[in-house]
Amino acid sequence: MAVESSFLLQGIIYLSAAIIAVPISKRIGLGSVLGYLLAGVAIGPWGFGLINEVETVLHFAEFGVVMMLFLIGLELNLAKLWQLRVPVFLLGGAQVLVTLLITWGLSLAFNLQWQIGLVAGMGVAMSSTAIAIQTLTEKNWLNLPSGKSAFAVLLFQDLAVIPLMLLLALIAPSSSASAFDLMAALKALGAVVAVVIGGTYLLRHALRYIANTGMREIFIAFALLLVLGVAVLMESVGLSMALGSFLAGVLLADSEYRQELELDIEPFKGLLLGLFFIAVGMSVDIGLLWRQPLLILGLAFGFVALKILVLFSLARLFKQQKADTWIFALTLSQIGEFAFVIFAAAQQQQIFDTQITNILNAIVAVSMLTTPLLLVLHGALFKRQQAHKPDAFEPIDVKNKIIVAGFGRVGQVVTRLLNGIGQPPTVIEQDPNQIELVRRFGFKAYYGDITRPDVLVAAGIANATLLVLAIDDMEDALKTAKYVRKNYPQVKILARARNRTAAFEFMAEEIDSVRETFHSALSLGEKSLQALGFGVHQANKIAWQFKQHDEANLIEAFPHRHDQNQLVAVNHKAREDLEALLRAEQEITPLKPEDTWSI
């Protein structure tokens, strides 16, 4: 009973620490990862001492990283993975090799044993998959060029686990290392082959069998068993658990059960990943840091700076844009959790003594704390640079009759249409990365802040006939529209409205606007009607009637836009009128139960 009470008490401590620290950290702009890390420091043996079993918790919480890699694998099929081969093997391979060699060379320069320097280089070359992926996902960077490159490097680091562990065995004092290496390699190869064959030929049949039971809890149990089983199999042969789960995810990426697996695994991944970050925070040896602050902090910051330099240089060599390069370098600048495994193995094989292991582990933990802070600093500096950029704008050497402000997903479509009829617009965009990207596809856009009068003048607003406001910031769009309406009344203004609220704002200024998602959603609704058995013409007529009714309702609701109660009443009546209209004018026969789809 005491054990159960202790377990429950620890669970309460973990959850309480996370609930308190993470929202505060996110609120002040430091992100969730740093919140988890600081929560771990607070409750760990060097904080309030509420939890002391750091190693056990850290090992258990690594399954959060395992589940995260499985979910990432589900998003990548083999074709997409093949497209990443160049950044994985060239960029990732260069990063690991260069970082390892520089660290090794520095250790030799300080008269350390070559084995110690080599193993330290192995650890330093690794980055934290958990911190990097969580950061990229949280900030929506995973699909950016920097995010894709970072993921490719992390994937290569997981692949590098096999040769690095074999190299560790080779340089160990044990004379039986070579025989062990051969056996380990054969076991590793066998495990990978087993996962590939099982994932290709057996898993789908097993998933279908489990799904046919109709019991959701059994399907969840099987999903967890699948991920944990593959991870344990890989660990038993000396490979990375995360690599195994990623491989299993890739093999199921084209499966009809992919979405269900994602939904079932996601909650466990989130909780265990948070627990992993807390455990890393708990592992920070504050006592050692207090006794040798210059050594620990100096080496931690030095290794982080070294990795930033290497990553930044390689990214530029691979022709990444400068803004993406900084994100890429800072995201991967910490030393990863696999360094703990490497250093522990080195101690077991008598390459390290306990003191060196403790110092290196403390350095790893401190380096992990630096990443969220560096990204916060980068964000602050980037915003400051953006704030100063409006002092200058790119000279505009054309004077077209049409000006398009904003070259995102909306502005690009408008521009392509106008170019297609031989009416090229002058395009103004404030994001330099977007300008660089679209220029690769043959489009011309000029850097500038459209809210500034001098930018408008340079774009030729005095002789323009049409201004299309396709920018995302509604405040800037309204500000520009008001200025142009007052000073250049001959210019027709069309605006992109994000929603009904924005549409009301433009209507108040007597400016025509288009709700950016309305027509695509209406088109999707029309196709939904066709999928339910309505004819093409009938579905089109219903969609047209819906559009006419909605636009009329927008005009009717406009005078009441500041009165929420009245607005709700108007919309409620409009919904009833719409249902009556469609049912009266269309011969809509409800589908019979046997006609509906079952999934």
Side-chain angles (χ1 to χ4, degrees):
M1 190 68 179
V3 175
E4 292 181 1
S5 299
S6 175
F7 177 77
L8 292 175
L9 181 59
Q10 287 187 22
I12 291 173
I13 292 172
Y14 289 130
L15 294 174
S16 300
I19 290 171
I20 294 172
V22 175
I24 294 175
S25 180
K26 288 208 70 174
R27 179 66 63 87
I28 61 179
L30 298 180
S32 64
V33 174
L34 187 59
Y36 283 120
L37 294 172
L38 293 177
V41 172
I43 67 174
W46 297 101
F48 294 109
L50 302 178
I51 305 288
N52 292 312
E53 301 171 2
V54 179
E55 292 296 330
T56 303
V57 175
L58 187 60
H59 186 70
F60 174 74
E62 284 179 2
F63 286 112
V65 183
V66 167
M67 291 179 180
M68 177 180 65
L69 264 295
F70 177 75
L71 292 177
I72 292 174
L74 285 176
E75 297 294 332
L76 289 172
N77 54 33
L78 292 174
K80 291 181 180 178
L81 191 60
W82 178 250
Q83 293 175 356
L84 292 173
R85 66 190 184 279
V86 173
V88 168
F89 291 101
L90 291 184
L91 182 57
Q95 181 273 322
V96 170
L97 184 61
V98 172
T99 306
L100 192 157
L101 291 177
I102 292 178
T103 305
W104 190 21
L106 290 173
S107 69
L108 295 177
F110 284 91
N111 297 320
L112 292 176
Q113 294 181 10
W114 68 269
Q115 294 96 333
I116 294 176
L118 184 58
V119 175
M122 295 179 190
V124 172
M126 299 291 106
S127 299
S128 173
T129 300
I131 291 177
I133 297 296
Q134 177 72 10
T135 300
L136 292 171
T137 303
E138 188 175 295
K139 296 181 179 295
N140 295 319
W141 290 343
L142 197 54
N143 290 321
L144 295 179
S146 55
K148 293 178 180 178
S149 297
F151 174 73
V153 170
L154 291 169
L155 182 56
F156 181 86
Q157 290 177 0
D158 279 332
L159 293 172
V161 167
I162 306 170
L164 288 180
M165 293 304 287
L166 294 178
L167 179 60
L168 187 64
L170 278 174
I171 65 175
S174 173
S175 59
S176 62
S178 59
F180 170 78
D181 291 344
L182 179 59
M183 184 58 66
L186 292 175
K187 287 181 179 179
L189 181 61
V192 172
V193 171
V195 170
V196 172
I197 293 177
T200 304
Y201 299 105
L202 301 178
L203 269 183
R204 298 191 186 204
H205 298 294
L207 285 166
R208 186 178 300 112
Y209 173 77
I210 297 296
N212 284 334
T213 65
M215 302 176 66
R216 181 173 174 81
E217 65 274 17
I218 297 300
F219 192 90
I220 294 175
F222 183 80
L224 292 173
L225 176 63
L226 168 64
V227 178
L228 300 182
V230 172
V232 171
L233 172 64
M234 288 298 176
E235 186 185 40
S236 67
V237 296
L239 299 181
S240 165
M241 292 192 297
L243 177 62
S245 62
F246 173 76
L247 182 59
V250 170
L251 293 173
L252 290 172
D254 292 324
S255 166
E256 61 271 29
Y257 302 102
R258 179 177 68 87
Q259 184 174 7
E260 189 68 23
L261 287 168
E262 287 180 346
L263 293 174
D264 291 341
I265 296 295
E266 180 67 34
F268 298 97
K269 183 269 292 184
L271 286 173
L272 286 174
L273 200 57
L275 182 59
F276 172 81
F277 293 133
I278 290 176
V280 170
M282 292 166 57
S283 69
V284 178
D285 191 338
I286 304 297
L288 183 60
L289 182 61
W290 183 260
R291 293 191 301 271
Q292 297 177 290
L294 294 179
L295 177 65
I296 304 299
L297 294 177
L299 287 175
F301 295 155
F303 285 138
V304 168
L306 169 64
K307 293 191 72 173
I308 291 174
L309 178 62
V310 170
L311 290 162
F312 186 89
S313 301
L314 289 174
R316 296 299 288 173
L317 183 63
F318 279 76
K319 298 181 179 180
Q320 280 194 15
Q321 297 177 30
K322 193 170 183 179
D324 287 329
T325 300
W326 279 115
I327 293 174
F328 168 75
L330 294 177
T331 303
L332 299 179
S333 62
Q334 75 292 128
I335 305 174
E337 55 273 358
F338 191 72
F340 293 129
V341 179
I342 293 177
F343 299 153
Q347 183 179 355
Q348 290 175 357
Q349 300 187 34
Q350 300 177 354
I351 299 174
F352 286 171
D353 59 27
T354 303
Q355 182 182 7
I356 293 177
T357 303
N358 290 339
I359 290 174
L360 288 175
N361 283 342
I363 291 170
V364 172
V366 171
S367 76
M368 289 181 173
L369 291 171
T370 64
T371 303
L373 296 174
L374 287 172
L375 288 171
V376 170
L377 179 62
H378 169 265
L381 292 176
F382 180 77
K383 286 182 179 179
R384 185 177 298 176
Q385 290 175 359
Q386 289 295 93
H388 285 85
K389 276 184 178 177
D391 291 339
F393 59 88
E394 186 176 359
I396 301 174
D397 51 11
V398 294
K399 295 292 187 292
N400 295 313
K401 294 293 184 180
I402 306 171
I403 300 173
V404 174
F407 207 43
R409 61 184 185 272
V410 176
Q412 289 178 37
V413 173
V414 175
T415 301
R416 287 168 55 198
L417 177 62
L418 293 172
N419 281 329
I421 63 169
Q423 296 288 334
T426 299
V427 181
I428 309 297
E429 171 59 53
Q430 196 172 3
D431 184 354
N433 290 327
Q434 183 70 7
I435 293 173
E436 181 64 26
L437 177 64
V438 297
R439 282 182 177 176
R440 296 180 184 179
F441 293 89
F443 291 102
K444 176 69 173 177
Y446 296 91
Y447 170 75
D449 180 0
I450 197 65
T451 63
R452 290 178 50 190
D454 54 344
V455 172
L456 285 168
V457 171
I461 191 68
N463 299 312
T465 58
L466 175 63
L467 170 63
V468 179
L469 294 170
I471 57 179
D472 187 57
D473 192 315
M474 290 299 102
E475 291 185 6
D476 285 351
L478 279 167
K479 178 181 176 181
T480 304
K482 291 177 182 178
Y483 177 82
V484 173
R485 171 59 55 83
K486 178 181 178 181
N487 295 279
Y488 304 97
Q490 83 283 359
V491 178
K492 173 70 174 177
I493 304 174
L494 298 175
R496 160 196 179 187
R498 189 183 305 161
N499 47 38
R500 293 177 76 89
T501 303
F504 285 149
E505 295 292 335
F506 285 117
M507 289 172 67
E509 301 298 326
E510 299 182 349
I511 294 170
D512 292 337
S513 65
V514 176
R515 287 170 283 164
E516 63 179 45
T517 58
F518 178 74
H519 290 88
S520 57
L522 186 63
S523 178
L524 187 61
E526 182 178 338
K527 290 183 181 296
S528 299
L529 294 176
Q530 294 176 29
L532 291 173
F534 290 88
V536 174
H537 297 294
Q538 188 181 24
N540 180 263
K541 183 177 181 182
I542 294 172
W544 180 83
Q545 288 177 324
F546 179 90
K547 176 177 180 292
Q548 295 295 109
H549 183 274
D550 187 83
E551 291 178 346
N553 171 247
L554 191 69
I555 297 173
E556 182 182 0
F558 172 70
H560 311 291
R561 63 190 183 281
H562 299 306
D563 185 343
Q564 188 172 12
N565 292 331
Q566 188 64 27
L567 193 62
V568 170
V570 170
N571 286 331
H572 182 73
K573 182 179 181 299
R575 185 166 62 250
E576 294 178 344
D577 292 343
L578 175 65
E579 292 175 0
L581 171 67
L582 296 182
R583 288 176 180 173
E585 297 192 9
Q586 303 296 329
E587 295 179 1
I588 300 177
T589 303
L591 294 176
K592 299 178 181 178
E594 58 267 24
D595 294 331
T596 58
W597 292 357
S598 60
I599 298 177

